[in-house]
Amino acid sequence: MSAYLRLRAVPPPALRNSSTWLERLFDDASETVRHYRDQERIYAGACPNPLARDRPRTHVVLGGRPVFRADRRKPPLLVLTAAQARRVSGFLAAADFDTLWDFARDAVLPHYGGATAEPETWGAFAAAHQELKAFYTHTAECGDAVVKWVPED
């Protein structure tokens, strides 16, 4: 589970549409949230409340407006507006991790040792879920946007 992406909250007035400026946000890694890229399978695969009209589940990890880098071979940075970050926060607040895990476990477990490794894998992803939930809750409370750095494959 060492491959991760990084998230950073940014006040909307400070946000720039420059990949160089956005990359500099991540120079101080201590203030970023590190998150497992495979977590996207958990959110994109299911919705904890099928009656919800606004389902930002695909924005939790890999969604957002791309900002392309000068080196086009590198993955773009992704930006969520403050409004999108609030919707993600609401989604995560309502999400039941066990329900999401049940939908995604068959796709996720083979990458981490299969069924025998499920307790450890579940624990790692559940902890990442709580970290994401806390990050987006705080971000929404502050009215911030979110910038994401997707790792290179």
Side-chain angles (χ1 to χ4, degrees), residues 48 91-102 129:
F91 169 80
L92 291 172
D96 175 64
F97 180 76
D98 288 324
T99 300
L100 295 172
W101 177 258
D102 288 344
H129 171 76

Side-chain angles (χ1 to χ4, degrees), residues 39-64:
Q39 192 89 9
E40 178 69 7
R41 294 175 193 268
I42 292 170
Y43 301 113
C47 185
N49 180 359
L51 301 177
R53 291 182 4 219
D54 185 13
R55 301 181 197 162
R57 59 187 183 253
T58 59
H59 279 124
V60 176
V61 178
L62 297 179

Side-chain angles (χ1 to χ4, degrees), residues 4 15 22 26 36 41 84 93 119 124 143:
Y4 59 86
L15 200 59
L22 294 172
F26 296 95
Y36 304 119
R41 294 175 193 268
Q84 290 170 319

Side-chain angles (χ1 to χ4, degrees), residues 46-116:
C47 185
N49 180 359
L51 301 177
R53 291 182 4 219
D54 185 13
R55 301 181 197 162
R57 59 187 183 253
T58 59
H59 279 124
V60 176
V61 178
L62 297 179
R65 176 183 54 83
V67 176
F68 294 97
R69 299 180 190 187
D71 182 351
R72 295 284 181 148
R73 293 171 294 182
K74 292 183 177 182
L77 296 152
L78 302 171
V79 177
L80 288 181
T81 65
Q84 290 170 319
R86 278 192 305 276
R87 286 192 297 275
V88 169
S89 175
F91 169 80
L92 291 172
D96 175 64
F97 180 76
D98 288 324
T99 300
L100 295 172
W101 177 258
D102 288 344
F103 278 99
R105 70 180 294 280
D106 291 339
V108 172
L109 281 177
H111 300 186
Y112 302 97
T116 59

